[in-house]
Amino acid sequence: MTAVPLQPPRRLVDLTLDGEPVRAPEGATLLDACRAAGKDIPTLCQGDTLTPKNACRVCVVEVEGARTLAPACSRRVEPGMEVRTDTERARHSRKAVLELLASSVDLSTTPRAAEWIEAYGAEPDRFGPDAARVDEEPKVDNDLYVRDYDKCVLCYKCVDACGEQWQNTFAIAVAGRGFDARISTEHDAPLTDSACVYCGNCIEVCPTGALSFRSEFDMRAAGTWDESAQTRTTTVCAYCGVGCNLTLHVQDNEIVKVTSPHDNPVTHGNLCIKGRFGYQHVQNRD
């Protein structure tokens, strides 16, 4: 086994969060510092395995001396910073963003979205029945996963995971402009005719359920999907010798989907088609 070289310790930066002095490692983001201090900052587009895209703007905080609100997911800590996370200005901005998102897309499968909407007093219905909505039918063009862009908030995490940050397949990108912007394959071709290699790494990072396992999609449609009844078991993929870790999600003694631990030094949450979708043989009882 190759030894992992020890890294030099990171210097600590002194700053102030909501009037309280805190220390954070140099290079950490404000979101990192807030979480370490036990502050709950909402975010949709931040991912622990991807470079921040600053897309959703739900995590904005107020920095003393700054003209605009700062996205906590990408703004780095600086010595002497004075940061306020729960000001009226920040709360109003988060409320507006949540209202605009919830009025245009389906956030029903977005973790904590309903909680944040209530916490910030957001009223998506205030725009009235004529508010523009995405209203796209799910794209079911393969047996492995479903693309339901009616739930997409254009966080770009799937594009980054498919592109230069991880897979380097570049099967998907943003097409269109303005409200017509969509995540799409080249020329909007079916997934089966695209460059997709079905690694499913886009599903791993999707924060809203716009991308999901076909098994999950079918079970949700049938009303049988129940995460509270699922167990999670982490094991090692047996397809090759790389050593990728798999987390098997099991419901009623059936594997319903597979994820991978983001803190695993081998995969960082990423898998290939065999690791992500090649589990059917385990429960084939024919």
Side-chain angles (χ1 to χ4, degrees):
M1 181 179 293
T2 304
V4 179
L6 293 176
Q7 299 296 322
R10 298 166 71 182
R11 302 175 67 178
L12 295 177
V13 173
D14 292 311
L15 66 153
T16 302
L17 285 179
D18 295 327
E20 298 290 331
V22 299
R23 281 186 168 182
E26 188 177 44
T29 65
L30 288 177
L31 186 60
D32 294 331
C34 288
R35 287 175 171 172
K39 298 183 182 296
D40 186 20
I41 306 296
T43 180
L44 292 174
C45 73
Q46 187 267 346
D48 56 356
T49 63
L50 297 167
T51 301
K53 204 73 172 182
N54 305 331
C56 76
R57 315 301 285 191
V58 182
C59 69
V60 290
V61 295
E62 196 163 355
V63 178
E64 183 69 27
R67 181 177 58 86
T68 61
L69 295 172
C73 68
S74 62
R75 182 67 181 270
R76 303 291 177 181
V77 296
E78 298 174 11
M81 253 186 172
E82 294 186 21
V83 182
R84 294 188 294 275
T85 66
D86 200 37
T87 63
E88 181 61 29
R89 185 183 181 193
R91 292 184 63 87
H92 180 75
S93 177
R94 294 172 189 165
K95 173 184 176 181
V97 170
L98 289 167
E99 285 181 339
L100 290 170
L101 287 175
S103 68
S104 58
V105 300
D106 176 11
L107 297 182
S108 62
T109 55
T110 302
R112 301 192 65 188
E115 173 190 342
W116 291 331
I117 288 173
E118 181 179 359
Y120 290 98
E123 300 176 20
D125 294 336
R126 73 184 181 90
F127 298 109
D130 296 328
R133 292 191 61 84
V134 175
D135 287 332
E136 278 196 25
E137 291 296 318
K139 295 180 182 294
V140 187
D141 53 10
N142 68 91
D143 294 330
L144 300 181
Y145 72 96
V146 175
R147 298 173 291 157
D148 187 358
Y149 291 140
D150 190 39
K151 298 178 179 178
C152 177
V153 295
L154 289 176
C155 68
Y156 305 100
K157 291 171 73 174
C158 59
V159 176
D160 289 340
C162 184
E164 62 184 8
Q165 291 199 36
W166 285 118
Q167 191 63 27
N168 285 288
T169 297
F170 301 96
I172 54 177
V174 179
R177 295 291 183 271
F179 194 79
D180 292 327
R182 298 288 186 275
I183 305 298
S184 175
T185 57
E186 189 172 6
H187 303 302
D188 200 24
L191 209 61
T192 50
D193 296 333
S194 73
C196 179
V197 295
Y198 298 96
C199 63
N201 294 331
C202 55
I203 306 173
E204 185 74 39
V205 300
C206 178
T208 64
L211 303 171
S212 65
F213 275 69
R214 178 70 180 271
S215 53
E216 178 179 347
F217 179 81
D218 290 342
M219 290 176 69
R220 284 187 183 276
T224 58
W225 182 262
D226 184 4
E227 290 190 8
S228 65
Q230 295 174 11
T231 60
R232 300 185 181 187
T233 303
T234 298
T235 183
V236 178
C237 182
Y239 275 107
C240 73
V242 171
C244 299
N245 276 197
L246 312 179
T247 299
L248 308 179
H249 299 242
V250 178
Q251 180 177 330
D252 297 328
N253 207 31
E254 297 278 348
I255 300 173
V256 292
K257 74 174 184 179
V258 174
T259 58
S260 182
H262 289 195
D263 60 354
N264 182 269
V266 177
T267 61
H268 299 286
N270 299 294
L271 296 170
C272 71
I273 182 174
K274 293 179 180 179
R276 184 85 61 187
F277 297 109
Y279 58 84
Q280 288 84 354
H281 70 283
V282 176
Q283 53 205 22
N284 187 351
R285 296 174 173 83
D286 297 335

